[in-house]
mmCIF file of all heavy atoms in Angstrom:
data_model
loop_
_atom_site.group_PDB
_atom_site.id
_atom_site.type_symbol
_atom_site.label_atom_id
_atom_site.label_comp_id
_atom_site.label_asym_id
_atom_site.label_seq_id
_atom_site.Cartn_x
_atom_site.Cartn_y
_atom_site.Cartn_z
ATOM 1 N N LEU U 131 -2.541 63.064 -96.535
ATOM 2 C CA LEU U 131 -3.093 64.124 -97.413
ATOM 3 C C LEU U 131 -2.881 65.502 -96.848
ATOM 4 O O LEU U 131 -2.757 66.343 -97.607
ATOM 5 C CB LEU U 131 -4.634 63.858 -97.360
ATOM 6 C CG LEU U 131 -5.196 62.851 -98.351
ATOM 7 C CD1 LEU U 131 -6.608 62.557 -98.008
ATOM 8 C CD2 LEU U 131 -4.914 63.159 -99.825
ATOM 9 N N THR U 147 -19.635 49.890 -90.123
ATOM 10 C CA THR U 147 -20.463 50.183 -89.104
ATOM 11 C C THR U 147 -19.733 50.024 -87.741
ATOM 12 O O THR U 147 -19.016 49.023 -87.617
ATOM 13 C CB THR U 147 -21.729 49.403 -89.122
ATOM 14 O OG1 THR U 147 -22.376 49.358 -90.364
ATOM 15 C CG2 THR U 147 -22.752 49.830 -87.990
ATOM 16 N N ILE U 175 -17.796 63.001 -86.071
ATOM 17 C CA ILE U 175 -19.256 63.045 -86.455
ATOM 18 C C ILE U 175 -19.723 61.494 -86.482
ATOM 19 O O ILE U 175 -19.008 60.681 -87.140
ATOM 20 C CB ILE U 175 -19.463 63.798 -87.770
ATOM 21 C CG1 ILE U 175 -19.078 65.161 -87.722
ATOM 22 C CG2 ILE U 175 -20.984 63.569 -88.120
ATOM 23 C CD1 ILE U 175 -19.126 65.883 -89.080
ATOM 24 N N ASP U 222 -37.889 67.567 -78.102
ATOM 25 C CA ASP U 222 -37.671 66.558 -76.973
ATOM 26 C C ASP U 222 -36.796 65.436 -77.251
ATOM 27 O O ASP U 222 -36.066 65.060 -76.517
ATOM 28 C CB ASP U 222 -38.992 66.163 -76.580
ATOM 29 C CG ASP U 222 -39.891 67.184 -75.858
ATOM 30 O OD1 ASP U 222 -39.327 68.155 -75.339
ATOM 31 O OD2 ASP U 222 -41.037 67.089 -75.687
ATOM 32 N N VAL U 238 -27.098 67.736 -82.079
ATOM 33 C CA VAL U 238 -27.944 66.674 -82.698
ATOM 34 C C VAL U 238 -28.660 67.056 -83.926
ATOM 35 O O VAL U 238 -29.484 67.962 -83.845
ATOM 36 C CB VAL U 238 -28.974 66.221 -81.646
ATOM 37 C CG1 VAL U 238 -29.780 64.930 -82.126
ATOM 38 C CG2 VAL U 238 -28.244 65.896 -80.451
#
Side-chain angles (χ1 to χ4, degrees):
L131 282 171
T147 309
I175 300 177
D222 287 342
V238 180

